[in-house]
Amino acid sequence: MFSTFLFVFTISLFSFNVLSDSSNHRYNEGDNVPLYANKVGPFHNPSETYRYFDLPFCVTGKEKDKTEALGEVLNGDRLVTAPYALDFKKDKDSKSVCKRKLTKEQVAQFREAVKKDYYFQMYYDDLPIWGFIGTVDKEGKSDPSEYKYFLYKHIQFDVLYNKDHVIEISARMDPHSLVDLTEDKEVDTEFLYTVKWKETDTPFEKRMEKYSQSSSLPHHLEIHWFSIINSCVTVLLLTGFLATILMRVLKNDFMKYAQDEEAADDQEETGWKYIHGDIFRFPKYKSLFAAALGSGTQLFALTIFIFMLALVGVFYPYNRGALFTALVVIYALTSGIAGYTATSFYIQLEGSNWVRNLLLTGCLFCAPLFLMFCFLNTVAIAYNATAALPFGTILVIVLIWTLVTSPLLVLGGIAGKNSGAEFQAPVRTTKYPREIPPLPWYRSTIPQMAMAGFLPFSAIYIELYYIFASVWGHRIYTIYSILFIVFIILLIVTAFITVALTYFQLAAEDHEWWWRSFLCGGSTGLFIYGYCLYYYYARSDMSGFMQTSFFFGYMACICYGFFLMLGSVGFRASLLFVRHIYKSIKCE
């Protein structure tokens, strides 16, 4: 057990180092500042990336792979030293990298890359650099067979420095220095680069701000605030609806049910009081229900911790792999929450096989994610893409799951079993359940889920576009405070709409509200997945089997996680509501 906690501490320390600020390197004039080539890939397919030297660029034979952290590997980064020497404060003009003869196959390889809008990404002192590797001449040509394809062979690096720090770097491709790739023939070429240094007053601490400004421009902020105002109006309308309709009806119910026994005997019980003997009858598949509640609670805790790190500035732009590292480590460390919540609730539901329930809790989210990962990793291996994880990284994740996630899950389960908590039911449950009266079609599960998911989704859909453009595109998302406000609004709307639908269900004398409240709360996840279809076909230019598989595969896992998380929120809100209203009346 000591080794487990030691491993937890090591992982936590490792994550802290990875999530810390970028390197604060100081250089003297003439010092060699390493430039790392990262990856290349189609601009519109962010998941489909390849190693830089998978294309036949100049190779000096001195290239070395950079040791990368777990999150960087998960992010698809594969850094290797580039053949460009960018010595600190040393200008260079048209310096030759190499001269080479491109074979027909290499020309065809470059041409295919240019045709697919390949870009390259490099890092210089932890600052990102991008550029396109070529261009397509379409001017005056309507037939694609007449297009001309050109490779850029000259890069100019413009570097800004402040005293002994690198502050900013950009790469410009020389449009007059091109290699014609249109025909399948051998081509002689020389790759060149130029380096220009210029002093700036920008302090080192603010060098990453320019990457944050793109998402906080005035017109972007207006849209974000419009999204929040739209969401707030939704919350106010929903709250007003509950206050004026639901509360008034409940008040009338309470007044009617609070009458003396003689008056009550003259009335036939109707509505939600009529089913007081069945309202706390435990749901079917109680083990699965408790496991879903435990997994959803863990994912909720994970989301809160991620927001805490984001709000304190850990996920600044291009802190490579920080988010992925945080997700893996925090998910492992919060597994005890899932074990405790699931097992304690399962025991409250008078379940007997808590070990099986614990196994189900551990697999409910991880198993589909693992199966999806196996499929997508196989696709990435077939494409020879950087998204394919090396064996060592897979081994590290397995060790984290084996030595951290599983023991903490078991410890949480044991604590939940020994908690001794009993289910707090304000009314007694009858021996035999009442028959549920026939209900109209719109009161069945699927229509209710559609109604429950629409309002929360309408409160977040504007912000979803920016999140998708960041995760599945090249935009940068840094306004985490606004995102956190939207998340809180999402939770409030989900809880309110689930409570409202639960009341209407009980008023119709349908006492099977347990699973219904969970499904209605989590239905927003299905709407988000529906938005994925719209985003893919209408708002993005993604294409190809690999990119399509990654987009819909991993979004399915993310939406499933949202389903579990919001489902647990909806059920908890409904449970509090049901307990409250049945405490307020006298039931025989």
Side-chain angles (χ1 to χ4, degrees):
M1 190 59 66
F2 174 77
S3 61
T4 300
F5 285 103
L6 183 63
F7 191 81
V8 171
F9 175 77
T10 304
I11 289 293
S12 303
L13 186 63
F14 163 77
S15 65
F16 175 79
N17 291 334
V18 170
L19 301 181
S20 61
D21 202 351
S22 63
S23 56
N24 186 1
H25 291 146
R26 298 177 180 273
Y27 302 101
N28 297 315
E29 184 173 344
D31 284 354
N32 178 259
V33 184
L35 173 69
Y36 291 102
N38 186 15
K39 52 194 176 185
V40 295
F43 182 76
H44 299 293
N45 289 356
S47 300
E48 186 183 346
T49 55
Y50 306 94
R51 290 178 177 270
Y52 181 80
F53 289 109
D54 284 350
L55 291 178
F57 289 112
C58 289
V59 179
T60 63
K62 299 179 181 178
E63 289 77 17
K64 294 182 180 179
D65 290 337
K66 183 180 184 294
T67 304
E68 294 165 316
L70 172 63
E72 294 175 312
V73 179
L74 293 175
N75 195 40
D77 291 339
R78 303 292 186 271
L79 273 64
V80 60
T81 52
Y84 306 100
L86 276 63
D87 300 328
F88 191 69
K89 295 168 63 174
K90 289 287 186 181
D91 290 348
K92 294 182 179 179
D93 190 21
S94 297
K95 178 80 173 177
S96 177
V97 182
C98 72
K99 295 180 180 179
R100 66 180 308 177
K101 181 189 289 287
L102 297 177
T103 65
K104 293 180 180 180
E105 291 77 14
Q106 291 172 336
V107 168
Q109 189 177 359
F110 269 129
R111 183 173 63 246
E112 188 65 22
V114 172
K115 188 183 298 185
K116 292 182 178 179
D117 263 347
Y118 267 44
Y119 72 99
F120 67 82
Q121 186 188 46
M122 298 180 180
Y123 281 95
Y124 185 68
D125 195 45
D126 285 337
L127 292 172
I129 314 169
W130 306 270
F132 287 96
I133 69 169
T135 184
V136 183
D137 180 16
K138 303 179 181 179
E139 189 175 350
K141 304 176 180 67
S142 56
D143 188 354
S145 63
E146 298 176 355
Y147 292 169
K148 289 187 175 295
Y149 302 93
F150 297 96
L151 174 71
Y152 292 123
K153 64 177 183 178
H154 189 180
I155 305 178
Q156 176 170 324
F157 296 99
D158 297 307
V159 193
L160 300 182
Y161 69 93
N162 185 347
K163 297 178 182 177
D164 51 3
H165 285 124
V166 177
I167 303 299
E168 186 178 326
I169 185 170
S170 59
R172 292 187 292 122
M173 318 307 292
D174 187 351
H176 305 294
S177 183
L178 304 170
V179 179
D180 192 343
L181 305 171
T182 308
E183 299 179 9
D184 279 327
K185 64 179 182 180
E186 293 184 349
V187 176
D188 289 314
T189 186
E190 180 180 16
F191 289 94
L192 307 166
Y193 71 102
T194 297
V195 185
K196 298 292 184 184
W197 289 84
K198 186 178 179 181
E199 193 168 8
T200 180
D201 295 330
T202 305
F204 176 81
E205 294 75 19
K206 295 184 178 181
R207 70 174 190 161
M208 303 303 292
E209 284 189 358
K210 78 166 207 170
Y211 303 108
S212 306
Q213 290 170 355
S214 62
S215 61
S216 57
L217 293 175
H219 64 280
H220 282 179
L221 278 177
E222 287 177 7
I223 297 174
H224 286 293
W225 282 114
F226 173 77
S227 171
I228 288 184
I229 292 171
N230 173 64
S231 303
C232 288
V233 169
T234 303
V235 172
L236 289 173
L237 289 175
L238 187 58
T239 308
F241 165 77
L242 286 175
T244 57
I245 306 297
L246 187 57
M247 292 295 103
R248 182 176 296 177
V249 172
L250 278 173
K251 184 178 179 181
N252 293 336
D253 289 346
F254 288 148
M255 291 176 62
K256 181 175 67 175
Y257 296 148
Q259 294 175 357
D260 57 23
E261 294 182 6
E262 292 182 4
D265 290 338
D266 296 334
Q267 301 178 25
E268 181 181 354
E269 291 185 353
T270 58
W272 53 270
K273 186 175 185 291
Y274 179 67
I275 56 172
H276 65 82
D278 299 279
I279 194 66
F280 292 106
R281 189 178 305 282
F282 297 147
K284 299 177 181 177
Y285 314 111
K286 62 178 70 174
S287 182
L288 177 60
F289 188 84
L293 188 63
S295 297
T297 306
Q298 179 190 7
L299 293 172
F300 177 75
L302 168 67
T303 306
I304 294 298
F305 281 123
I306 290 295
F307 269 118
M308 290 171 60
L309 292 176
L311 293 174
V312 298
V314 170
F315 305 129
Y316 59 85
Y318 299 104
N319 185 6
R320 296 192 308 277
L323 178 60
F324 288 103
T325 303
L327 286 170
V328 172
V329 172
I330 296 175
Y331 182 83
L333 297 178
T334 54
S335 58
I337 296 175
Y340 178 83
T341 304
T343 306
S344 62
F345 198 76
Y346 181 66
I347 296 299
Q348 290 180 40
L349 297 182
E350 300 176 359
S352 55
N353 196 341
W354 68 275
V355 176
R356 185 182 65 183
N357 173 252
L358 200 60
L359 291 174
L360 183 60
T361 305
C363 296
L364 192 63
F365 182 73
C366 287
L369 182 63
F370 174 74
L371 293 175
M372 185 61 68
F373 163 76
C374 290
F375 168 70
L376 295 178
N377 203 58
T378 304
V379 172
I381 291 173
Y383 275 73
N384 197 29
T386 61
L389 296 188
F391 176 75
T393 303
I394 297 175
L395 184 61
V396 168
I397 295 176
V398 170
L399 284 175
I400 291 175
W401 192 87
T402 305
L403 300 179
V404 181
T405 306
S406 299
L408 289 178
L409 181 73
V410 172
L411 288 175
I414 294 173
K417 175 182 176 295
N418 297 329
S419 63
E422 294 184 0
F423 188 80
Q424 302 296 323
V427 292
R428 288 181 295 179
T429 302
T430 57
K431 187 174 182 180
Y432 300 104
R434 292 180 184 271
E435 183 178 353
I436 299 173
L439 299 174
W441 65 270
Y442 56 84
R443 288 189 178 273
S444 59
T445 303
I446 301 300
Q448 294 287 294
M449 288 176 65
M451 293 172 59
F454 177 75
L455 270 178
F457 174 76
S458 67
I460 64 170
Y461 80 97
I462 295 178
E463 206 65 24
L464 273 182
Y465 168 75
Y466 290 95
I467 298 172
F468 274 57
S470 174
V471 176
W472 300 105
H474 301 280
R475 291 197 180 190
I476 305 169
Y477 195 98
T478 58
I479 315 178
Y480 297 111
S481 55
I482 289 181
L483 184 61
F484 184 66
I485 295 173
V486 172
F487 177 70
I488 295 299
I489 292 172
L490 171 65
L491 297 180
I492 294 173
V493 177
T494 299
F496 279 0
I497 192 65
T498 309
V499 165
L501 291 175
T502 299
Y503 171 77
F504 293 134
Q505 180 183 358
L506 301 184
E509 301 178 8
D510 182 355
H511 55 78
E512 294 182 348
W513 63 276
W514 298 70
W515 273 111
R516 178 76 65 84
S517 64
F518 192 96
L519 294 174
C520 286
S523 60
T524 306
L526 302 178
F527 276 81
I528 297 176
Y529 200 68
Y531 180 81
C532 293
L533 295 169
Y534 165 75
Y535 181 84
Y536 181 86
Y537 291 106
R539 305 302 294 269
S540 78
D541 295 311
M542 292 184 282
S543 61
F545 178 73
M546 177 182 170
Q547 181 61 43
T548 304
S549 300
F550 267 70
F551 178 74
F552 287 107
Y554 279 128
M555 283 310 303
C557 294
I558 292 171
C559 293
Y560 175 52
F562 263 92
F563 175 82
L564 293 174
M565 179 180 71
L566 295 178
S568 63
V569 170
F571 168 72
R572 290 290 189 187
S574 296
L575 180 61
L576 288 172
F577 170 75
V578 171
R579 277 177 172 160
H580 173 72
I581 63 174
Y582 281 94
K583 276 181 182 177
S584 304
I585 61 169
K586 181 180 178 182
C587 297
E588 295 296 331

